[in-house]
Amino acid sequence: MNRTADIQLLPHDLADANKLQFINSLRRPRGILSVLLLSAALSTIFALLVWDEGNALPIAAFTIVSPLAVLAGPAFVVWVINPGTARRIFKQQASLRKPYAIAWDEAHYLAHSDLGNTKLPWSDLFRVEHNDKLIVLFESQNLRRIIPLRFLSPEQRADIEGVIAAAAPQAMARKWK
């Protein structure tokens, strides 16, 4: 099994990683609780502002719609504004435009480029997120390494998924499909 791949990030890889992080944040209890608490707070404020004896329909309607409204703002940012931001960051940060090679074994993720080398133990990962386009390795809440799956063969993809699942189960945001 060849456990190496040459990677060249594109702006849409950054945008896709941000979308993945947003979607997965809503799957975690903290994300769900945040939406519910903010929706409850907005509903309460709305109720206090429009309270009319005998007409609770606007308040009930707002209470039902407010979770969608709470999600609409961040979703707009992630799906509409984020792609342009990703292109701008990609232009600004030269290191994102440089190709790099990755490798992996049972204990480490390795990366090599003209800028340097990385040897990251799987056990040091904070979180791993994935979808059908990429795998994102988080070293912390904000430091991430993006592996676009278009550079991996199906065998390599299955191999790296198995290695991560075995070596870093604490970091898995959710199971592999």
Side-chain angles (χ1 to χ4, degrees):
M1 165 62 57
N2 178 13
R3 288 183 161 180
T4 64
D6 294 320
I7 306 289
Q8 175 65 64
L9 292 178
L10 296 173
H12 70 81
D13 294 321
L14 302 179
D16 289 343
N18 288 340
K19 288 176 192 174
L20 177 62
Q21 189 172 2
F22 173 71
I23 290 167
N24 283 341
S25 72
L26 295 177
R27 291 180 176 152
R28 289 191 282 280
R30 180 178 172 188
I32 295 168
L33 186 61
S34 296
V35 169
L36 291 175
L37 289 176
L38 187 54
S39 298
L42 289 174
S43 295
T44 302
I45 292 168
F46 183 78
L48 293 172
L49 292 175
V50 302
W51 180 251
D52 181 18
E53 298 266 342
N55 189 5
L57 187 60
I59 297 167
F62 186 82
T63 301
I64 292 169
V65 172
S66 65
L68 298 175
V70 168
L71 292 174
F76 178 80
V77 169
V78 169
W79 269 271
V80 177
I81 295 174
N82 180 50
T85 303
R87 285 189 297 275
R88 187 179 72 247
I89 290 170
F90 195 80
K91 287 179 187 175
Q92 292 172 351
Q93 190 174 340
S95 63
L96 291 174
R97 297 187 305 271
K98 297 196 182 293
Y100 60 98
I102 66 167
W104 62 92
D105 59 30
E106 277 70 19
H108 301 94
Y109 163 85
L110 304 124
H112 170 74
S113 76
D114 294 342
L115 302 173
N117 299 313
T118 298
K119 185 176 184 179
L120 176 65
W122 295 117
S123 60
D124 286 356
L125 292 176
F126 172 72
R127 186 171 65 242
V128 176
E129 295 183 355
H130 57 90
N131 63 14
D132 60 338
K133 295 180 183 178
L134 36 91
I135 297 172
V136 182
L137 308 174
F138 286 86
E139 293 182 59
S140 68
Q141 186 173 352
N142 294 316
L143 179 58
R144 62 189 179 188
R145 300 187 184 273
I146 301 170
I147 305 172
L149 294 175
R150 68 181 176 276
F151 296 104
L152 302 180
S153 70
E155 295 80 20
Q156 287 175 312
R157 178 180 177 175
D159 183 57
I160 197 169
E161 289 173 354
V163 167
I164 294 170
Q170 81 290 346
M172 296 300 298
R174 61 189 178 87
K175 301 288 183 218
W176 301 107
K177 289 182 182 177

